[in-house]
């Protein structure tokens, strides 16, 4: 092989996860080279195609819609700056150009939007906050071009994230070299003239936050501006209505926390969905669900565990769905119609090499375009433009439960309608993973109610957890919520107290077992000599058998009654008094 061919082979191998792919429908669990479910690929743009090079990585992402033209744009964070991509034709994105970093390259860059301006921060030293007028993008005639900052804010240097409350006109730099890393507040109501407005440093470093004008159920705080801060080891809730005197409302941790990374309210501002970035070494991807009905007393109500060990990163809520960027597992979409019972209904894995707990793959997503397209930034591979098909999920599952029947479980479920339904894979949780234990065929397409059941026999004691994976004829699938039942350990071999005791010359005893088995009951004197066989037969489960110990021909003294079953031996002492 020539040196040129060897070099080409190396390049193809090294950039295998950055390969360019174009429009592909998710069919039989695949869209081009990518694993998927109910999410189609519109297009990709590689790091190179967005002006980067071999030393450039992707990081954060946000979106903007031009209010004049309705065109949609992706704002893609790169280690070298920010790329701007016209995705108004999602299958043919156009890289318009980039804004270089203000100082040095950095793996961490964050961008948000307010009033047609992008606000960009980075962990690069001295970077501050760049302001960029996005309306310039409509006038690009010969892309790509190199853009310049519209304005710059220098009251902090490095910052990890920028948080914007579009309803109040305030930005919050977090993880900066100011305010002890807490909320550095900036008035951006005049977009090109940011003004420092306040600081909250009472709980130290804030990694990320969501700040809202509060309209949720806690009447004591309605109408106030509230920030839900992810502070590494706690959720910390702060009232920032008065920028000069912010007030901490609550601060709470939780068991087995490793790194409280980021989170987002549901649209009713009642539940908060939060990720923990560093706990995947011992568990699958975990999403924590907080009930924030009382902002002064947050309550952790549930934990959702994903399909893989991938590290969770940023998540956002739109309607009844959570959009999670889970690094090597890509974009994962959870249905939160039942707020405390998320169910994964769709995904697109942007990283083909593995689903390991490593910092590769999907960094973040933006799901708020009116078109329904979702953009995802991938560290190695660049920009993905995706189209979830959430409205066309084929089966309406209206009930799923489990009934314990002795040592077996009967799973029952009901559908209100079905489209293209091949059937249901019945899966059981074992050693932290779900595995198929059976398959029940579906009805195809029907508008009539359908009832199904599946029986699992010969279960041992303990908790048993199940779910359904509904599979279409084309291979697409949807996973149900889980149901659990507990099988109690069978009662031990039971020998009743003899009555009367002491006795002369006869006493009555009963024996019973939970499971049918051979049972033998004997009487021994305290020299260890057997003096009588009282019972020796097969005893039916849960049937009590009574018998008498006739001791008229035996001397007074203590005797041992011994019952022997298939796996157990029980004894008791009786006394004969003459």
């Amino acid at each position: 092989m020539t040196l040129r061919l060897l070099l080409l082979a190396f390049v193809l191998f090294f950039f295998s996860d950055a390969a360019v792919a174009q429009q592909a429908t998710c069919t039989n669990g695949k869209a081009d080279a990518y694993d998927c479910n109910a999410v189609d690929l519109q297009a990709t743009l590689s790091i190179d195609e967005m002006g980067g090079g071999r030393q450039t990585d992707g990081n954060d992402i946000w979106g903007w819609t031009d209010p004049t033209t309705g065109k949609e744009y992706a704002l893609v964070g790169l280690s070298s700056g920010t790329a701007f991509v016209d995705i108004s034709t999602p299958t043919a994105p156009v890289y318009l150009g980039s804004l270089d970093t203000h100082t040095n390259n950095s793996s961490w860059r964050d961008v948000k939007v307010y009033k047609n301006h992008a606000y960009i921060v980075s962990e690069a030293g001295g970077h501050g906050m760049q302001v960029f007028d996005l309306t310039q993008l409509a006038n690009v005639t010969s892309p790509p071009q190199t853009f310049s900052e519209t304005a710059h804010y220098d009251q902090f240097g490095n910052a990890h994230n920028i948080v914007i409350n579009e309803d109040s006109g305030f930005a919050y730099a977090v993880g900066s070299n100011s305010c002890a890393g807490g909320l550095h507040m900036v008035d951006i109501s005049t977009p090109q003239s940011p003004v420092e407005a306040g600081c909250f440093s009472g709980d130290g470093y804030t990694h990320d936050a969501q700040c809202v004008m509060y309209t949720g159920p806690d009447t004591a705080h309605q109408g106030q501006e509230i920030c839900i801060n992810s502070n590494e080891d706690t959720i910390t809730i702060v009232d920032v209505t008065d920028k000069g005197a912010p007030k901490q409302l609550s601060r709470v941790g939780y068991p087995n926390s490793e790194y409280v990374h980021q989170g987002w309210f549901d649209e009713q501002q009642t539940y908060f969905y939060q990720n923990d970035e560093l706990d995947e070494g011992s568990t699958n991807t975990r999403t924590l669900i907080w009930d924030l009905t009382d902002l002064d007393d947050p309550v952790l109500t549930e934990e959702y565990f994903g399909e893989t060990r991938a590290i969770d990163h940023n998540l956002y809520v739109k309607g009844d769905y959570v959009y999670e960027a889970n690094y090597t597992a890509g974009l994962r979409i959870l249905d939160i119609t039942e707020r405390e019972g998320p169910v994964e209904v769709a995904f697109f894995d942007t990283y083909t090499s593995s689903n390991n707990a490593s910092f590769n793959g999907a960094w973040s997503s933006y799901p708020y375009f009116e078109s329904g397209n979702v953009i995802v930034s991938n560290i190695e591979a660049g920009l993905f433009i995706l189209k979830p098909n959430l409205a066309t999920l084929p089966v309406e599952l209206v009930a799923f439960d489990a009934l314990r029947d002795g040592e077996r479980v009967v799973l029952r479920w009901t559908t209100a309608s079905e489209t293209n339904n091949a059937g249901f894979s019945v899966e059981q949780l074992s050693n932290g993973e779900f595995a198929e234990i059976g398959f029940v065929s579906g009805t195809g397409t029907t508008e009539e109610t359908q009832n199904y059941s599946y029986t699992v026999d010969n279960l041992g004691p303990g908790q048993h957890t199940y779910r359904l994976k509904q599979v279409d004829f084309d291979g697409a699938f949807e996973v149900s919520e889980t149901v659990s039942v507990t099988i109690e350990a069978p009662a031990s071999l039971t020998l009743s107290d003899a009555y009367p005791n002491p006795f002369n010359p006869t006493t009555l005893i009963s024996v019973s077992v939970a499971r049918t088995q051979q049972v033998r009951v004997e009487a021994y004197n305290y020299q260890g000599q057997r003096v009588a066989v009282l019972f020796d037969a097969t005893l039916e489960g849960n049937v009590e058998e009574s018998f008498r110990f006739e001791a008229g021909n035996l001397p007074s003294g203590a005797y041992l009654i011994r019952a022997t079953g298939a796996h157990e031996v029980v004894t008791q002492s009786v006394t004969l008094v003459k």
Side-chain angles (χ1 to χ4, degrees):
M1 184 180 286
T2 67
L3 178 61
R4 183 174 181 180
L5 287 176
L6 280 169
L7 204 55
L8 176 60
F10 170 79
V11 169
L12 288 174
F13 173 78
F14 187 81
F15 290 103
S16 61
D17 259 295
V20 177
Q22 298 306 318
Q23 185 178 22
T25 300
C26 181
T27 304
N28 295 325
K30 286 283 188 180
D32 195 59
Y34 302 96
D35 291 336
C36 61
N37 176 41
V39 182
D40 296 333
L41 174 65
Q42 301 280 53
T44 66
L45 275 184
S46 68
I47 300 289
D48 279 350
E49 290 177 305
M50 293 185 291
R54 288 186 57 185
Q55 303 302 314
T56 304
D57 291 327
N59 44 63
D60 194 51
I61 196 165
W62 205 247
W64 174 65
T65 301
D66 189 326
T68 302
T69 64
K71 283 188 172 185
E72 296 175 346
Y73 296 86
L75 318 180
V76 186
L78 305 173
S79 53
S80 58
T82 307
F84 303 97
V85 181
D86 180 348
I87 61 167
S88 52
T89 302
T91 56
V94 178
Y95 168 59
L96 299 177
S98 63
L99 172 66
D100 288 341
T101 181
H102 187 77
T103 52
N104 304 314
N105 287 3
S106 172
S107 298
W108 290 273
R109 190 172 309 280
D110 198 59
V111 56
K112 298 293 187 300
V113 170
Y114 176 71
K115 285 189 175 178
N116 304 323
H117 288 74
Y119 296 82
I120 304 161
V121 300
S122 171
E123 287 206 353
H127 185 278
M129 182 173 70
Q130 296 176 299
V131 184
F132 179 74
D133 183 353
L134 292 165
T135 62
Q136 300 175 72
L137 302 180
N139 302 318
V140 176
T141 56
S142 301
Q145 83 178 57
T146 300
F147 297 102
S148 299
E149 299 170 352
T150 305
H152 184 260
Y153 178 84
D154 62 3
Q155 297 306 298
F156 58 82
N158 60 286
H160 185 75
N161 271 301
I162 185 71
V163 178
I164 290 180
N165 182 358
E166 294 185 50
D167 292 325
S168 70
F170 283 89
Y172 301 84
V174 297
S176 75
N177 63 336
S178 65
C179 291
L183 299 171
H184 181 116
M185 309 178 199
V186 185
D187 183 345
I188 57 171
S189 54
T190 302
Q192 296 183 20
S193 301
V195 178
E196 184 174 358
C199 171
F200 176 76
S201 59
D203 193 35
Y205 183 90
T206 296
H207 187 80
D208 210 331
Q210 183 188 14
C211 298
V212 300
M213 300 308 299
Y214 183 71
T215 59
D218 189 342
T219 56
H221 299 291
Q222 288 175 352
Q224 298 171 349
E225 187 168 10
I226 302 295
C227 291
I228 316 297
N229 300 337
S230 296
N231 276 25
E232 297 188 296
D233 59 351
T234 62
I235 293 291
T236 301
I237 302 179
V238 182
D239 181 347
V240 295
T241 307
D242 183 349
K243 303 300 184 291
K247 178 183 177 183
Q248 181 172 303
L249 303 180
S250 56
R251 178 181 186 273
V252 62
Y254 53 90
N256 304 315
S257 69
E258 292 292 339
Y259 197 89
V260 181
H261 179 267
Q262 183 260 0
W264 212 253
F265 257 133
D266 70 350
E267 293 188 349
Q268 291 71 41
Q269 296 181 357
T270 301
Y271 287 91
F272 187 78
Y273 297 83
Q274 174 239 317
N275 47 58
D276 187 312
E277 189 180 30
L278 299 180
D279 61 356
E280 282 73 26
S282 58
T283 184
N284 282 12
T285 310
R286 179 170 61 149
T287 304
L288 299 108
I289 305 165
W290 295 88
D291 182 344
L292 298 189
T293 300
D294 182 352
L295 296 179
D296 300 285
D297 185 22
V299 176
L300 179 63
T301 63
E302 194 58 73
E303 295 179 336
Y304 166 81
F305 293 92
E307 295 286 305
T308 74
R309 295 271 177 170
I311 299 170
D312 42 351
H313 204 221
N314 292 347
L315 66 82
Y316 297 100
V317 178
K318 180 182 179 183
D320 288 332
Y321 297 97
V322 175
Y323 295 78
E324 299 189 346
N326 289 344
Y327 277 124
T328 57
L331 175 69
R332 299 280 162 163
I333 303 177
L334 311 182
D335 185 332
I336 56 167
T337 302
E338 297 293 333
R339 291 298 193 252
E340 296 183 22
V343 177
E344 183 180 293
V345 293
F347 76 87
F348 192 98
D349 192 346
T350 65
Y351 188 77
T352 60
S353 297
S354 76
N355 287 330
N356 296 336
S358 62
F359 294 99
N360 303 95
W363 181 288
S364 194
S365 71
Y366 179 84
Y368 298 112
F369 289 122
E370 295 240 347
S371 64
N373 290 317
V374 177
I375 50 177
V376 176
S377 56
N378 183 286
I379 296 171
E380 298 84 6
L383 170 66
F384 284 74
I385 306 168
L386 308 175
K387 186 61 177 286
N389 298 307
L390 301 177
T392 59
L393 292 173
V395 173
E396 185 181 357
L397 185 68
V398 295
F400 177 39
D401 60 21
L403 176 67
R404 185 180 69 249
D405 181 14
E407 296 172 14
R408 67 177 186 170
V409 168
V410 180
L411 302 173
R412 304 178 302 186
W413 61 98
T414 300
T415 63
S417 63
E418 299 180 16
T419 303
N420 194 35
N421 179 26
F424 302 87
S425 171
V426 181
E427 298 185 333
Q428 183 170 11
L429 184 64
S430 177
N431 298 320
E433 302 285 343
F434 280 95
E436 182 176 281
I437 58 172
F439 190 86
V440 178
S441 296
T443 312
T445 299
T446 179
E447 294 297 321
E448 297 181 358
T449 298
Q450 303 295 316
N451 296 304
Y452 298 90
S453 68
Y454 183 86
T455 300
V456 188
D457 291 311
N458 300 318
L459 292 169
Q463 186 179 72
H464 302 272
T465 300
Y466 303 92
R467 71 180 186 186
L468 301 173
K469 180 182 284 186
Q470 182 275 316
V471 184
D472 288 359
F473 285 114
D474 63 4
F477 62 87
E478 178 184 3
V479 177
S480 76
E481 63 183 14
T482 62
V483 294
S484 297
V485 295
T486 299
I487 303 295
E488 301 293 340
S492 301
L493 170 67
T494 301
L495 194 61
S496 73
D497 291 337
Y499 183 81
N501 187 22
F503 70 100
N504 180 25
T506 303
T507 187
L508 182 67
I509 307 171
S510 298
V511 65
S512 63
V513 291
R515 300 178 180 176
T516 300
Q517 58 191 278
Q518 184 72 22
V519 176
R520 183 178 176 89
V521 184
E522 301 162 302
Y524 289 83
N525 63 26
Y526 268 75
Q527 286 73 47
Q529 299 168 321
R530 187 176 67 195
V531 297
V533 176
L534 307 176
F535 179 85
D536 188 7
T538 297
L539 185 58
E540 297 293 326
N542 297 315
V543 174
E544 187 175 72
E545 183 73 26
S546 297
F547 50 86
R548 295 182 183 277
F549 177 22
E550 300 281 356
N553 61 342
L554 296 174
S556 296
Y559 292 85
L560 185 72
I561 308 300
R562 172 175 172 158
T564 304
H567 304 289
E568 300 169 88
V569 175
V570 294
T571 62
Q572 69 165 287
S573 179
V574 296
T575 302
L576 173 64
V577 178
K578 289 186 175 181

